[in-house]
């Protein structure tokens, strides 16, 4: 991920990096004894223990649609969901808590092609966010469209196709994009950049 202070500050400002899902992991037979390896604003990730899969607890309807809707974006840059185990409780926010069996994704490796693409992507996106800052809640959506229209050189091919698919999903479900927050871009073991958690409710 970008390491310069400006982009890190931008990610914290736009991504609300200080906000984490506060609920405890609920009791469930599939989760007994599993180690928590990540926590976002609306979710918790636990290692399934096989190096290939994780269990993700999802409380945001935006995330749940992104992972499970029939018309969700698909392809090499989107996460693979193996099984939806359904509702296992209700979060303190009032939203239903869903349990998903998903592929294991990893932090971006420094010096890798994925880091170069991720840097270019987030830096260009943040620049577009600043351009449209006067639009308030619509800033991120307009910034994403700007990025698609004028992508940096390292954002091309299947990655640019993925951005277009993400924009279609965001418009269809009227959610907000977030590709700046820590963990919202991850990689597979083979180094493929993945939009792991790029949407949130407005």
């Amino acid at each position: 991920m970008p390491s310069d202070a400006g982009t890190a500050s931008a990610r914290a400002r736009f991504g609300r990096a200080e906000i984490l899902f506060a609920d405890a992991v609920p009791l469930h037979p599939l989760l007994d004894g599993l180690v928590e390896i990540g926590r976002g604003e609306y979710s918790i990730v636990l290692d399934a223990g096989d190096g290939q899969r994780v269990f993700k607890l999802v409380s945001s309807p935006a995330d749940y649609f992104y992972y499970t809707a029939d018309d969700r974006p698909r392809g090499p840059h989107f996460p693979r969901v193996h099984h939806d185990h359904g509702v296992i409780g209700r979060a303190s926010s009032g939203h239903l808590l869903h349990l998903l069996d998903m592929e294991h994704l990893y932090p971006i490796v420094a010096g890798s092609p994925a880091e170069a693409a991720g840097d270019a992507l987030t830096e260009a996106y943040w620049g577009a966010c600043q351009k449209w800052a006067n639009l308030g809640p619509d800033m991120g959506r307009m910034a994403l469209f700007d990025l698609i229209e004028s992508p940096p050189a390292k954002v091309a091919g299947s990655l640019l196709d993925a951005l277009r698919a993400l924009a279609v999903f965001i418009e269809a479900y009227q959610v907000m994009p977030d590709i700046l927050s820590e963990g919202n871009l991850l990689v597979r073991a083979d180094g493929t950049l993945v939009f792991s958690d790029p949407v949130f409710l407005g």
Side-chain angles (χ1 to χ4, degrees), residues 25 31-38 44-49 54-55 104:
V25 175
L31 306 179
D32 287 350
L34 299 188
V35 176
E36 181 180 324
I37 59 173
I44 305 172
V45 181
L46 298 104
D47 191 342
V54 297
F55 286 106
H104 198 312

